[in-house]
PDB file of all heavy atoms in Angstrom:
ATOM      1  N   GLU A   1       0.378 -12.773  -6.297  1.00  0.00           N
ATOM      2  CA  GLU A   1      -0.494 -11.832  -5.548  1.00  0.00           C
ATOM      3  C   GLU A   1      -0.455 -12.121  -4.038  1.00  0.00           C
ATOM      4  O   GLU A   1      -0.761 -11.264  -3.220  1.00  0.00           O
ATOM      5  CB  GLU A   1      -1.934 -11.809  -6.026  1.00  0.00           C
ATOM      6  CG  GLU A   1      -2.633 -13.155  -5.958  1.00  0.00           C
ATOM      7  CD  GLU A   1      -2.455 -13.953  -7.185  1.00  0.00           C
ATOM      8  OE1 GLU A   1      -1.767 -13.647  -8.094  1.00  0.00           O
ATOM      9  OE2 GLU A   1      -3.129 -15.065  -7.221  1.00  0.00           O
ATOM     10  N   PHE A   2      -0.031 -13.341  -3.668  1.00  0.00           N
ATOM     11  CA  PHE A   2       0.098 -13.652  -2.244  1.00  0.00           C
ATOM     12  C   PHE A   2       1.298 -12.975  -1.654  1.00  0.00           C
ATOM     13  O   PHE A   2       1.306 -12.768  -0.406  1.00  0.00           O
ATOM     14  CB  PHE A   2       0.213 -15.183  -2.043  1.00  0.00           C
ATOM     15  CG  PHE A   2      -0.985 -15.937  -2.509  1.00  0.00           C
ATOM     16  CD1 PHE A   2      -0.957 -16.882  -3.534  1.00  0.00           C
ATOM     17  CD2 PHE A   2      -2.213 -15.707  -1.906  1.00  0.00           C
ATOM     18  CE1 PHE A   2      -2.060 -17.567  -3.938  1.00  0.00           C
ATOM     19  CE2 PHE A   2      -3.373 -16.386  -2.290  1.00  0.00           C
ATOM     20  CZ  PHE A   2      -3.301 -17.325  -3.322  1.00  0.00           C
ATOM     21  N   LEU A   3       2.218 -12.500  -2.419  1.00  0.00           N
ATOM     22  CA  LEU A   3       3.366 -11.799  -1.887  1.00  0.00           C
ATOM     23  C   LEU A   3       3.112 -10.256  -1.872  1.00  0.00           C
ATOM     24  O   LEU A   3       3.980  -9.520  -1.358  1.00  0.00           O
ATOM     25  CB  LEU A   3       4.580 -12.048  -2.759  1.00  0.00           C
ATOM     26  CG  LEU A   3       5.205 -13.447  -2.644  1.00  0.00           C
ATOM     27  CD1 LEU A   3       6.362 -13.577  -3.598  1.00  0.00           C
ATOM     28  CD2 LEU A   3       5.639 -13.749  -1.243  1.00  0.00           C
ATOM     29  N   LEU A   4       1.988  -9.828  -2.435  1.00  0.00           N
ATOM     30  CA  LEU A   4       1.699  -8.355  -2.455  1.00  0.00           C
ATOM     31  C   LEU A   4       1.681  -7.721  -1.076  1.00  0.00           C
ATOM     32  O   LEU A   4       2.294  -6.691  -0.924  1.00  0.00           O
ATOM     33  CB  LEU A   4       0.366  -8.137  -3.196  1.00  0.00           C
ATOM     34  CG  LEU A   4      -0.015  -6.691  -3.426  1.00  0.00           C
ATOM     35  CD1 LEU A   4       1.028  -6.020  -4.227  1.00  0.00           C
ATOM     36  CD2 LEU A   4      -1.365  -6.620  -4.071  1.00  0.00           C
ATOM     37  N   PRO A   5       1.084  -8.278  -0.058  1.00  0.00           N
ATOM     38  CA  PRO A   5       1.116  -7.678   1.250  1.00  0.00           C
ATOM     39  C   PRO A   5       2.548  -7.472   1.779  1.00  0.00           C
ATOM     40  O   PRO A   5       2.815  -6.526   2.426  1.00  0.00           O
ATOM     41  CB  PRO A   5       0.355  -8.599   2.133  1.00  0.00           C
ATOM     42  CG  PRO A   5      -0.556  -9.373   1.234  1.00  0.00           C
ATOM     43  CD  PRO A   5       0.200  -9.459  -0.097  1.00  0.00           C
ATOM     44  N   VAL A   6       3.376  -8.481   1.471  1.00  0.00           N
ATOM     45  CA  VAL A   6       4.816  -8.375   1.943  1.00  0.00           C
ATOM     46  C   VAL A   6       5.517  -7.175   1.283  1.00  0.00           C
ATOM     47  O   VAL A   6       6.157  -6.363   1.926  1.00  0.00           O
ATOM     48  CB  VAL A   6       5.592  -9.660   1.636  1.00  0.00           C
ATOM     49  CG1 VAL A   6       7.038  -9.536   1.980  1.00  0.00           C
ATOM     50  CG2 VAL A   6       4.957 -10.835   2.409  1.00  0.00           C
ATOM     51  N   PHE A   7       5.305  -7.015  -0.075  1.00  0.00           N
ATOM     52  CA  PHE A   7       5.973  -5.955  -0.764  1.00  0.00           C
ATOM     53  C   PHE A   7       5.311  -4.596  -0.387  1.00  0.00           C
ATOM     54  O   PHE A   7       6.064  -3.618  -0.401  1.00  0.00           O
ATOM     55  CB  PHE A   7       5.829  -6.173  -2.268  1.00  0.00           C
ATOM     56  CG  PHE A   7       6.889  -7.077  -2.822  1.00  0.00           C
ATOM     57  CD1 PHE A   7       6.681  -8.483  -2.871  1.00  0.00           C
ATOM     58  CD2 PHE A   7       8.106  -6.611  -3.236  1.00  0.00           C
ATOM     59  CE1 PHE A   7       7.672  -9.286  -3.344  1.00  0.00           C
ATOM     60  CE2 PHE A   7       9.064  -7.418  -3.730  1.00  0.00           C
ATOM     61  CZ  PHE A   7       8.853  -8.798  -3.770  1.00  0.00           C
ATOM     62  N   LEU A   8       4.074  -4.601  -0.084  1.00  0.00           N
ATOM     63  CA  LEU A   8       3.420  -3.329   0.400  1.00  0.00           C
ATOM     64  C   LEU A   8       3.974  -2.917   1.738  1.00  0.00           C
ATOM     65  O   LEU A   8       4.044  -1.753   2.044  1.00  0.00           O
ATOM     66  CB  LEU A   8       1.907  -3.501   0.421  1.00  0.00           C
ATOM     67  CG  LEU A   8       1.256  -3.517  -0.963  1.00  0.00           C
ATOM     68  CD1 LEU A   8      -0.236  -3.672  -0.763  1.00  0.00           C
ATOM     69  CD2 LEU A   8       1.562  -2.255  -1.703  1.00  0.00           C
ATOM     70  N   LYS A   9       4.340  -3.871   2.549  1.00  0.00           N
ATOM     71  CA  LYS A   9       4.963  -3.528   3.901  1.00  0.00           C
ATOM     72  C   LYS A   9       6.352  -2.972   3.682  1.00  0.00           C
ATOM     73  O   LYS A   9       6.760  -2.037   4.343  1.00  0.00           O
ATOM     74  CB  LYS A   9       5.096  -4.776   4.734  1.00  0.00           C
ATOM     75  CG  LYS A   9       4.076  -5.051   5.840  1.00  0.00           C
ATOM     76  CD  LYS A   9       3.725  -3.804   6.652  1.00  0.00           C
ATOM     77  CE  LYS A   9       3.069  -4.262   7.856  1.00  0.00           C
ATOM     78  NZ  LYS A   9       2.233  -3.224   8.458  1.00  0.00           N
ATOM     79  N   LEU A  10       7.086  -3.593   2.723  1.00  0.00           N
ATOM     80  CA  LEU A  10       8.435  -3.143   2.456  1.00  0.00           C
ATOM     81  C   LEU A  10       8.505  -1.792   1.664  1.00  0.00           C
ATOM     82  O   LEU A  10       9.343  -0.979   1.878  1.00  0.00           O
ATOM     83  CB  LEU A  10       9.261  -4.184   1.651  1.00  0.00           C
ATOM     84  CG  LEU A  10       9.475  -5.505   2.351  1.00  0.00           C
ATOM     85  CD1 LEU A  10      10.104  -6.537   1.408  1.00  0.00           C
ATOM     86  CD2 LEU A  10      10.343  -5.296   3.532  1.00  0.00           C
ATOM     87  N   PHE A  11       7.590  -1.658   0.676  1.00  0.00           N
ATOM     88  CA  PHE A  11       7.564  -0.495  -0.161  1.00  0.00           C
ATOM     89  C   PHE A  11       6.155   0.169  -0.119  1.00  0.00           C
ATOM     90  O   PHE A  11       5.338  -0.116  -0.990  1.00  0.00           O
ATOM     91  CB  PHE A  11       7.916  -0.809  -1.589  1.00  0.00           C
ATOM     92  CG  PHE A  11       9.174  -1.589  -1.737  1.00  0.00           C
ATOM     93  CD1 PHE A  11       9.163  -2.934  -2.047  1.00  0.00           C
ATOM     94  CD2 PHE A  11      10.368  -0.939  -1.628  1.00  0.00           C
ATOM     95  CE1 PHE A  11      10.362  -3.636  -2.207  1.00  0.00           C
ATOM     96  CE2 PHE A  11      11.557  -1.592  -1.772  1.00  0.00           C
ATOM     97  CZ  PHE A  11      11.541  -3.000  -2.035  1.00  0.00           C
ATOM     98  N   PRO A  12       5.792   0.916   0.920  1.00  0.00           N
ATOM     99  CA  PRO A  12       4.452   1.442   1.070  1.00  0.00           C
ATOM    100  C   PRO A  12       3.997   2.427   0.013  1.00  0.00           C
ATOM    101  O   PRO A  12       2.815   2.479  -0.260  1.00  0.00           O
ATOM    102  CB  PRO A  12       4.494   2.132   2.423  1.00  0.00           C
ATOM    103  CG  PRO A  12       5.874   2.259   2.795  1.00  0.00           C
ATOM    104  CD  PRO A  12       6.684   1.332   1.935  1.00  0.00           C
ATOM    105  N   GLN A  13       4.910   3.034  -0.747  1.00  0.00           N
ATOM    106  CA  GLN A  13       4.526   3.963  -1.841  1.00  0.00           C
ATOM    107  C   GLN A  13       4.394   3.268  -3.135  1.00  0.00           C
ATOM    108  O   GLN A  13       4.321   3.947  -4.140  1.00  0.00           O
ATOM    109  CB  GLN A  13       5.556   5.079  -1.929  1.00  0.00           C
ATOM    110  CG  GLN A  13       5.706   5.902  -0.666  1.00  0.00           C
ATOM    111  CD  GLN A  13       4.374   6.619  -0.352  1.00  0.00           C
ATOM    112  OE1 GLN A  13       3.710   7.062  -1.247  1.00  0.00           O
ATOM    113  NE2 GLN A  13       4.077   6.772   0.957  1.00  0.00           N
ATOM    114  N   MET A  14       4.356   1.925  -3.184  1.00  0.00           N
ATOM    115  CA  MET A  14       4.330   1.240  -4.447  1.00  0.00           C
ATOM    116  C   MET A  14       2.957   1.328  -5.133  1.00  0.00           C
ATOM    117  O   MET A  14       2.909   1.405  -6.355  1.00  0.00           O
ATOM    118  CB  MET A  14       4.566  -0.267  -4.204  1.00  0.00           C
ATOM    119  CG  MET A  14       4.814  -1.037  -5.502  1.00  0.00           C
ATOM    120  SD  MET A  14       5.328  -2.754  -5.149  1.00  0.00           S
ATOM    121  CE  MET A  14       3.754  -3.503  -5.117  1.00  0.00           C
ATOM    122  N   LEU A  15       1.865   1.402  -4.351  1.00  0.00           N
ATOM    123  CA  LEU A  15       0.562   1.459  -4.992  1.00  0.00           C
ATOM    124  C   LEU A  15       0.264   2.901  -5.485  1.00  0.00           C
ATOM    125  O   LEU A  15       0.708   3.849  -4.796  1.00  0.00           O
ATOM    126  CB  LEU A  15      -0.523   1.038  -4.002  1.00  0.00           C
ATOM    127  CG  LEU A  15      -0.644  -0.426  -3.795  1.00  0.00           C
ATOM    128  CD1 LEU A  15      -1.734  -0.707  -2.720  1.00  0.00           C
ATOM    129  CD2 LEU A  15      -0.954  -1.175  -5.020  1.00  0.00           C
ATOM    130  N   PRO A  16      -0.527   3.071  -6.501  1.00  0.00           N
ATOM    131  CA  PRO A  16      -0.910   4.400  -6.921  1.00  0.00           C
ATOM    132  C   PRO A  16      -1.694   5.092  -5.868  1.00  0.00           C
ATOM    133  O   PRO A  16      -2.281   4.462  -4.992  1.00  0.00           O
ATOM    134  CB  PRO A  16      -1.769   4.150  -8.156  1.00  0.00           C
ATOM    135  CG  PRO A  16      -1.322   2.779  -8.688  1.00  0.00           C
ATOM    136  CD  PRO A  16      -0.940   2.030  -7.454  1.00  0.00           C
ATOM    137  N   SER A  17      -1.836   6.434  -5.978  1.00  0.00           N
ATOM    138  CA  SER A  17      -2.532   7.240  -4.938  1.00  0.00           C
ATOM    139  C   SER A  17      -4.036   6.928  -4.862  1.00  0.00           C
ATOM    140  O   SER A  17      -4.628   7.133  -3.841  1.00  0.00           O
ATOM    141  CB  SER A  17      -2.297   8.678  -5.144  1.00  0.00           C
ATOM    142  OG  SER A  17      -2.863   9.066  -6.400  1.00  0.00           O
ATOM    143  N   THR A  18      -4.594   6.383  -5.936  1.00  0.00           N
ATOM    144  CA  THR A  18      -6.037   6.116  -5.926  1.00  0.00           C
ATOM    145  C   THR A  18      -6.337   4.958  -4.952  1.00  0.00           C
ATOM    146  O   THR A  18      -7.477   4.713  -4.569  1.00  0.00           O
ATOM    147  CB  THR A  18      -6.538   5.778  -7.306  1.00  0.00           C
ATOM    148  OG1 THR A  18      -5.747   4.725  -7.873  1.00  0.00           O
ATOM    149  CG2 THR A  18      -6.490   6.948  -8.185  1.00  0.00           C
ATOM    150  N   PHE A  19      -5.338   4.163  -4.575  1.00  0.00           N
ATOM    151  CA  PHE A  19      -5.534   2.992  -3.708  1.00  0.00           C
ATOM    152  C   PHE A  19      -5.307   3.380  -2.227  1.00  0.00           C
ATOM    153  O   PHE A  19      -5.272   2.521  -1.352  1.00  0.00           O
ATOM    154  CB  PHE A  19      -4.605   1.840  -4.068  1.00  0.00           C
ATOM    155  CG  PHE A  19      -4.973   1.227  -5.394  1.00  0.00           C
ATOM    156  CD1 PHE A  19      -4.371   1.725  -6.570  1.00  0.00           C
ATOM    157  CD2 PHE A  19      -5.891   0.177  -5.466  1.00  0.00           C
ATOM    158  CE1 PHE A  19      -4.732   1.146  -7.778  1.00  0.00           C
ATOM    159  CE2 PHE A  19      -6.194  -0.394  -6.667  1.00  0.00           C
ATOM    160  CZ  PHE A  19      -5.547   0.160  -7.877  1.00  0.00           C
ATOM    161  N   GLU A  20      -5.094   4.642  -1.930  1.00  0.00           N
ATOM    162  CA  GLU A  20      -4.770   5.076  -0.632  1.00  0.00           C
ATOM    163  C   GLU A  20      -5.994   5.078   0.273  1.00  0.00           C
ATOM    164  O   GLU A  20      -7.057   5.614  -0.201  1.00  0.00           O
ATOM    165  CB  GLU A  20      -4.205   6.508  -0.671  1.00  0.00           C
ATOM    166  CG  GLU A  20      -3.468   6.863   0.512  1.00  0.00           C
ATOM    167  CD  GLU A  20      -2.754   8.270   0.224  1.00  0.00           C
ATOM    168  OE1 GLU A  20      -3.469   9.223   0.151  1.00  0.00           O
ATOM    169  OE2 GLU A  20      -1.487   8.186   0.108  1.00  0.00           O
ATOM    170  N   THR A  21      -5.970   4.606   1.444  1.00  0.00           N
ATOM    171  CA  THR A  21      -7.158   4.569   2.370  1.00  0.00           C
ATOM    172  C   THR A  21      -7.179   5.921   3.087  1.00  0.00           C
ATOM    173  O   THR A  21      -6.195   6.663   3.116  1.00  0.00           O
ATOM    174  CB  THR A  21      -6.997   3.470   3.400  1.00  0.00           C
ATOM    175  OG1 THR A  21      -5.888   3.628   4.176  1.00  0.00           O
ATOM    176  CG2 THR A  21      -6.983   2.123   2.688  1.00  0.00           C
ATOM    177  N   GLU A  22      -8.318   6.200   3.650  1.00  0.00           N
ATOM    178  CA  GLU A  22      -8.525   7.473   4.345  1.00  0.00           C
ATOM    179  C   GLU A  22      -7.582   7.591   5.560  1.00  0.00           C
ATOM    180  O   GLU A  22      -7.046   8.641   5.854  1.00  0.00           O
ATOM    181  CB  GLU A  22      -9.982   7.598   4.765  1.00  0.00           C
ATOM    182  CG  GLU A  22     -10.351   8.935   5.341  1.00  0.00           C
ATOM    183  CD  GLU A  22     -10.279  10.049   4.307  1.00  0.00           C
ATOM    184  OE1 GLU A  22     -10.558   9.789   3.117  1.00  0.00           O
ATOM    185  OE2 GLU A  22      -9.969  11.183   4.660  1.00  0.00           O
ATOM    186  N   SER A  23      -7.340   6.537   6.294  1.00  0.00           N
ATOM    187  CA  SER A  23      -6.508   6.589   7.450  1.00  0.00           C
ATOM    188  C   SER A  23      -5.086   6.903   7.101  1.00  0.00           C
ATOM    189  O   SER A  23      -4.396   7.686   7.779  1.00  0.00           O
ATOM    190  CB  SER A  23      -6.572   5.245   8.270  1.00  0.00           C
ATOM    191  OG  SER A  23      -6.106   4.185   7.445  1.00  0.00           O
ATOM    192  N   LYS A  24      -4.580   6.327   5.975  1.00  0.00           N
ATOM    193  CA  LYS A  24      -3.186   6.605   5.550  1.00  0.00           C
ATOM    194  C   LYS A  24      -3.081   8.086   5.053  1.00  0.00           C
ATOM    195  O   LYS A  24      -2.096   8.717   5.279  1.00  0.00           O
ATOM    196  CB  LYS A  24      -2.754   5.656   4.452  1.00  0.00           C
ATOM    197  CG  LYS A  24      -2.581   4.259   4.946  1.00  0.00           C
ATOM    198  CD  LYS A  24      -1.844   3.419   3.964  1.00  0.00           C
ATOM    199  CE  LYS A  24      -1.691   2.013   4.492  1.00  0.00           C
ATOM    200  NZ  LYS A  24      -0.490   1.394   4.142  1.00  0.00           N
ATOM    201  N   ARG A  25      -4.137   8.547   4.423  1.00  0.00           N
ATOM    202  CA  ARG A  25      -4.164   9.939   3.994  1.00  0.00           C
ATOM    203  C   ARG A  25      -4.081  10.878   5.207  1.00  0.00           C
ATOM    204  O   ARG A  25      -3.338  11.853   5.214  1.00  0.00           O
ATOM    205  CB  ARG A  25      -5.424  10.186   3.109  1.00  0.00           C
ATOM    206  CG  ARG A  25      -5.356  11.535   2.400  1.00  0.00           C
ATOM    207  CD  ARG A  25      -6.538  11.714   1.443  1.00  0.00           C
ATOM    208  NE  ARG A  25      -6.521  10.642   0.459  1.00  0.00           N
ATOM    209  CZ  ARG A  25      -7.580   9.913   0.183  1.00  0.00           C
ATOM    210  NH1 ARG A  25      -8.752  10.033   0.763  1.00  0.00           N
ATOM    211  NH2 ARG A  25      -7.517   8.939  -0.770  1.00  0.00           N
ATOM    212  N   GLU A  26      -4.896  10.592   6.177  1.00  0.00           N
ATOM    213  CA  GLU A  26      -4.918  11.391   7.414  1.00  0.00           C
ATOM    214  C   GLU A  26      -3.535  11.367   8.115  1.00  0.00           C
ATOM    215  O   GLU A  26      -3.016  12.361   8.641  1.00  0.00           O
ATOM    216  CB  GLU A  26      -5.990  10.964   8.373  1.00  0.00           C
ATOM    217  CG  GLU A  26      -7.370  11.382   7.899  1.00  0.00           C
ATOM    218  CD  GLU A  26      -8.447  10.828   8.818  1.00  0.00           C
ATOM    219  OE1 GLU A  26      -8.158  10.178   9.826  1.00  0.00           O
ATOM    220  OE2 GLU A  26      -9.615  11.035   8.505  1.00  0.00           O
ATOM    221  N   GLU A  27      -2.916  10.177   8.178  1.00  0.00           N
ATOM    222  CA  GLU A  27      -1.616  10.041   8.767  1.00  0.00           C
ATOM    223  C   GLU A  27      -0.565  10.854   8.057  1.00  0.00           C
ATOM    224  O   GLU A  27       0.285  11.505   8.690  1.00  0.00           O
ATOM    225  CB  GLU A  27      -1.227   8.551   8.779  1.00  0.00           C
ATOM    226  CG  GLU A  27       0.124   8.289   9.472  1.00  0.00           C
ATOM    227  CD  GLU A  27       0.460   6.782   9.472  1.00  0.00           C
ATOM    228  OE1 GLU A  27      -0.483   5.946   9.407  1.00  0.00           O
ATOM    229  OE2 GLU A  27       1.620   6.504   9.426  1.00  0.00           O
TER     230      GLU A  27
END
């Protein structure tokens, strides 16, 4: 889980849509 932020930076669409923040949705 410590590598999760690295993978999220590399693959931003990896998380399901329910984990999307409001700022990313607006972007």
Side-chain angles (χ1 to χ4, degrees):
E1 62 270 4
F2 295 118
L3 292 177
L4 185 61
V6 174
F7 278 89
L8 288 177
K9 257 320 192 200
L10 294 174
F11 308 106
Q13 298 297 324
M14 189 174 92
L15 284 179
S17 64
T18 55
F19 292 90
E20 198 171 72
T21 61
E22 189 65 32
S23 61
K24 289 194 181 214
R25 191 174 300 130
E26 287 176 1
E27 184 180 330

